[in-house]
């Protein structure tokens, strides 16, 4: 694995040299051959556990922990950072694009704030399953290369086996990374970080001066809109959309308290600590908008020495979020319903359907899958949708089925399936169903329905997920 370092020139406290703490008995549990192939990762199988636990580090590799701030549930923490992760460096893929390789759960760092720097096996395996599923669903996401068991116990409630997950991301530049440098008043570092993010993610931005950073914000807004729309298309609830968990690349990161919606309701929340519903399914666009506003604030020094003038230039971009989102969201529903173009009355058609779904506790995924299949005559729709579907029939056309089939999954990583697998791993470092399940999740739009993997799970009303475990 040929690694280069990427963040060491940004600012002194930005990437702090720090080494993973060795673990007792590393053993490889999961390895992602497709990602390894894409990145030409050539670690021999005899060495995988040692390398991907951080026990064995090549002399050319300089691991770092990155600093970042974050608004967590709206409250600002100036110094969060990688408290349980080490970035080994970046590898180039076959196209020459760089991908960060990060070990998560690899021990305490200067950012641990009293935490143990470790990760339990459950969250590590969850990140692996969810990111693979999301990737196959066509949602931008970080990937997982591997999960290694540490052979050690992590003291959670209840104690669990420890694990280290190898995360692959096109970068680890978060909104919180900008906040970190802005809070320190480090304008040079801020500019270096913005330039790195532009080079890496938005190389078509060629302008200089304020225009350059306004264009950057505009691109981040666009990517965040695409991201949240694709989450909502598949019923994903991130659960902890703090600014430190928002990448400027527009990839999903941090699969802590995430969950998939079952019966449709914009107010759906699963995270145990999200009592106000800040990160509810339907509030995700507002929060993405809010997070982009926090990025805009951090960019102020790069726009103008005069704050007011900078704000006057940045605000219109932030204010355009809602309209841009609505446009993309309307398009999403049109695709999910295979509508023939856009008509003013379509919003009513969509609203009526969503009200029927909510009032009758209909499963989001299965209903849209049934609507798709109904165009081929292969399913009977629930009777509560009869009169609505007559109106919908006037708006479908020849291509509706193929459009709908590409956007309405037939298989999603159901919460109960993920929990079942995590329970298996907590008990025996293994799950007999995982490999077949991961295989099925690779084809979420064509997979024929296996009832036991895909039931509507309307009994999950009390399902709860947890952060940072
Ligand atoms: P997360 O909830 O995973 O986004 O983490 C939020 C912050 O808490 C980040 O700065 C993490 O590095 C830190 N953190 C989470 N778990 C641990 C842990 N076990 N030890 C040290 N830091 C942690
Ligand atoms: Mg995080």
């Amino acid at each position: 694995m040929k690694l280069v370092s990427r963040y060491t020139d940004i600012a002194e406290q930005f990437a702090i040299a720090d080494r993973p703490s060795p673990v007792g008995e590393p053993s490889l549990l999961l390895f992602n051959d497709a990602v390894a192939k894409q990145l030409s990762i050539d670690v021999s199988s005899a060495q995988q556990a040692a390398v991907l636990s951080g026990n064995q580090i090549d002399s050319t590799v300089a691991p770092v922990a990155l600093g970042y701030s974050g608004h967590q549930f709206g409250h600002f923490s100036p110094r969060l950072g990688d408290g349980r992760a080490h970035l080994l460096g970046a590898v180039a893929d076959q196209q020459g694009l760089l991908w960060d390789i990060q070990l998560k759960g690899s021990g305490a760092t200067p950012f641990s704030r009293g935490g143990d720097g470790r990760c339990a096996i459950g969250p590590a395996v969850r990140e692996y399953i969810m990111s693979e599923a999301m990737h196959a669903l066509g949602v931008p996401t970080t990937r997982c290369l591997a999960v290694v068991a540490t052979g050690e116990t992590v003291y959670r409630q209840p104690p669990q086996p420890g694990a280290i997950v190898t995360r692959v991301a096109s970068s680890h530049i978060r909104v919180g990374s900008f906040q970190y440098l802005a809070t320190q008043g480090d304008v040079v570092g801020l500019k270096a970080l913005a330039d790195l993010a532009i080079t890496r993610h938005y190389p078509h931005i060629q302008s200089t001066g304020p225009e350059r950073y306004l264009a950057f914000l505009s691109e981040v807004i666009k990517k965040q809109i695409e991201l949240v729309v694709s989450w909502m298309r598949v019923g994903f609830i991130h659960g902890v959309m703090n600014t430190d968990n928002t990448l400027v690349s527009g990839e999903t990161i941090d699969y802590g308290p995430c969950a998939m919606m079952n019966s449709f309701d914009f107010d759906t929340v699963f995270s145990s600590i999200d009592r106000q519903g800040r990160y509810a399914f339907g509030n995700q666009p507002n929060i993405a908008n809010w997070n982009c506003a926090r990025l805009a604030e951090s960019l102020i020094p790069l726009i103008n020495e005069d704050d007011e003038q900078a704000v006057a230039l940045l605000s219109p971009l932030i204010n355009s979020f809602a309209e841009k989102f609505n446009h993309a969201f309307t398009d999403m529903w049109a695709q999910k319903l295979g509508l023939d173009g856009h008509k003013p009355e379509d919003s009513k058609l969509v609203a009526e359907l969503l009200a029927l779904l909510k009032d009758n506790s209909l499963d989001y995924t299965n209903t849209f899958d049934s609507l798709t299949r109904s165009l081929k005559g292969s399913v009977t729709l629930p009777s509560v949708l009869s009169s609505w579907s007559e109106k919908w029939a006037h708006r479908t056309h020849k291509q509706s089925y193929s459009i709908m089939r590409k956007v309405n999954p037939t298989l999603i990583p159901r919460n109960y399936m993920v929990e079942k697998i995590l329970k298996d791993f907590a008990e025996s470092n293994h799950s007999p169903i995982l490999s077949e399940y991961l295989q099925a999740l690779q084809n979420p739009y064509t997979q024929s329905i296996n009832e036991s993997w895909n039931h509507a799970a309307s009994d999950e009303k009390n399902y709860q997920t947890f952060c940072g475990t």
Side-chain angles (χ1 to χ4, degrees):
M1 205 168 19
K2 197 161 170 287
L3 291 153
V4 294
S5 58
R6 284 219 284 180
Y7 301 104
T8 38
D9 299 338
I10 301 292
E12 205 182 317
Q13 286 290 303
F14 190 78
I16 298 181
D18 194 70
R19 294 179 78 78
S21 310
V23 296
E25 208 180 319
S27 63
L28 189 73
L29 300 184
L30 300 171
F31 189 78
N32 194 329
D33 290 314
V35 169
K37 189 160 174 242
Q38 187 198 335
L39 303 184
S40 307
I41 286 177
D42 52 2
V43 183
S44 72
S45 41
Q47 293 191 313
Q48 281 166 347
V51 170
L52 300 172
S53 60
N55 273 19
Q56 180 185 317
I57 295 178
D58 202 274
S59 60
T60 58
V61 174
V64 293
L66 295 184
Y68 51 85
S69 307
H71 272 96
Q72 301 178 298
F73 288 87
H75 301 287
F76 187 62
S77 294
R79 190 180 158 93
L80 291 173
D82 290 334
R84 54 163 167 172
H86 291 86
L87 194 89
L88 297 182
V91 290
D93 68 13
Q94 287 155 3
Q95 277 77 47
L97 294 175
L98 286 176
W99 296 88
D100 284 359
I101 306 287
Q102 189 201 54
L103 302 181
K104 179 170 165 182
S106 46
T109 77
F111 298 106
S112 295
R113 296 169 294 139
D116 62 2
R118 294 300 183 191
C119 178
I121 198 166
V125 175
R126 182 194 301 279
E127 178 151 341
Y128 191 102
I129 301 172
M130 290 304 296
S131 59
E132 277 309 284
M134 293 282 271
H135 176 71
L137 284 163
V139 179
T141 179
T142 62
R143 305 284 302 274
C144 281
L145 174 64
V147 175
V148 174
T150 60
E152 295 172 357
T153 300
V154 290
Y155 292 93
R156 304 288 184 267
Q157 217 29 289
Q160 279 200 45
I164 295 173
V165 54
T166 307
R167 181 193 272 164
V168 173
S170 68
S171 83
H172 281 85
I173 308 176
R174 307 155 192 260
V175 169
S177 315
F178 286 90
Q179 293 180 295
Y180 183 68
L181 296 168
T183 304
Q184 294 168 19
D186 183 353
V187 181
V188 174
L190 209 50
K191 182 171 179 306
L193 183 64
D195 286 336
L196 177 68
I198 291 169
T199 309
R200 180 64 198 90
H201 302 297
Y202 308 110
H204 59 275
I205 300 178
Q206 293 289 321
S207 46
T208 54
E211 287 307 321
R212 180 170 177 78
Y213 307 109
L214 290 167
F216 169 57
L217 177 63
S218 192
E219 289 296 328
V220 175
I221 289 173
K222 198 166 128 199
K223 288 282 183 190
Q224 284 298 312
I225 289 173
E226 284 170 16
L227 180 67
V228 173
V229 166
S230 59
W231 286 353
M232 295 182 78
R233 173 173 65 77
V234 301
F236 177 76
I237 305 164
H238 183 279
V240 61
M241 289 174 71
N242 297 333
T243 55
D244 49 302
N245 293 335
T246 303
L247 293 176
V248 298
S249 65
E251 284 165 0
T252 312
I253 189 168
D254 241 319
Y255 288 92
C258 68
M260 303 301 295
M261 182 168 64
N262 294 307
S263 52
F264 175 82
D265 187 346
F266 278 127
D267 294 335
T268 309
V269 175
F270 290 114
S271 167
S272 58
I273 57 169
D274 191 4
R275 298 208 180 80
Q276 314 288 323
R278 179 179 171 89
Y279 300 138
F281 177 70
N283 206 33
Q284 298 185 114
N286 294 331
I287 295 296
N289 190 351
W290 194 87
N291 289 346
C292 288
R294 305 291 76 77
L295 175 63
E297 281 167 5
S298 305
L299 296 176
I300 285 175
L302 304 184
I303 305 298
N304 201 298
E305 281 175 5
D306 180 280
D307 284 7
E308 269 183 37
Q309 289 196 35
V311 170
L313 290 166
L314 290 160
S315 296
L317 297 178
I318 295 301
N319 295 338
S320 71
F321 187 108
E323 193 188 327
K324 287 182 185 150
F325 178 83
N326 287 337
H327 198 78
F329 203 42
T330 306
D331 265 358
M332 179 200 93
W333 293 118
Q335 285 180 35
K336 280 183 81 69
L337 290 175
L339 302 185
D340 190 7
H342 282 287
K343 287 203 170 165
E345 60 271 27
D346 289 344
S347 51
K348 196 164 158 238
L349 190 71
V350 172
E352 277 176 19
L353 174 65
L354 297 183
L356 284 165
L357 259 67
K358 181 170 184 235
D359 295 346
N360 296 285
S361 299
L362 295 183
D363 184 78
Y364 183 58
T365 304
N366 291 355
T367 305
F368 278 92
D369 185 39
S370 297
L371 289 171
T372 309
R373 288 166 193 268
S374 74
L375 294 180
K376 291 277 186 205
S378 52
V379 289
T380 315
L381 293 173
S383 57
V384 288
L385 297 183
S386 306
S387 67
W388 176 86
S389 67
E390 281 168 26
K391 287 187 252 175
W392 172 55
H394 294 297
R395 299 287 296 116
T396 55
H397 60 121
K398 255 192 176 152
Q399 271 81 45
S400 293
Y401 177 82
S402 62
I403 293 170
M404 291 174 72
R405 194 61 292 170
K406 288 192 192 98
V407 296
N408 294 324
T410 188
L411 183 68
I412 56 161
R414 294 277 177 186
N415 307 325
Y416 68 89
M417 285 298 291
V418 175
E419 293 298 339
K420 185 172 151 67
I421 292 166
L422 302 197
K423 187 162 170 276
D424 289 347
F425 269 89
E427 283 165 9
S428 63
N429 275 2
H430 172 76
S431 169
I433 53 174
L434 181 63
S435 116
E436 197 191 347
Y437 191 52
L438 280 175
Q439 192 63 40
L441 289 170
Q442 292 302 312
N443 297 299
Y445 299 99
T446 53
Q447 183 64 37
S448 59
I449 292 180
N450 176 331
E451 280 302 325
S452 69
W453 289 352
N454 215 32
H455 71 72
S458 53
D459 53 343
E460 278 185 6
K461 287 267 183 266
N462 297 322
Y463 176 59
Q464 278 201 323
T465 59
F466 301 90
C467 267
T469 38

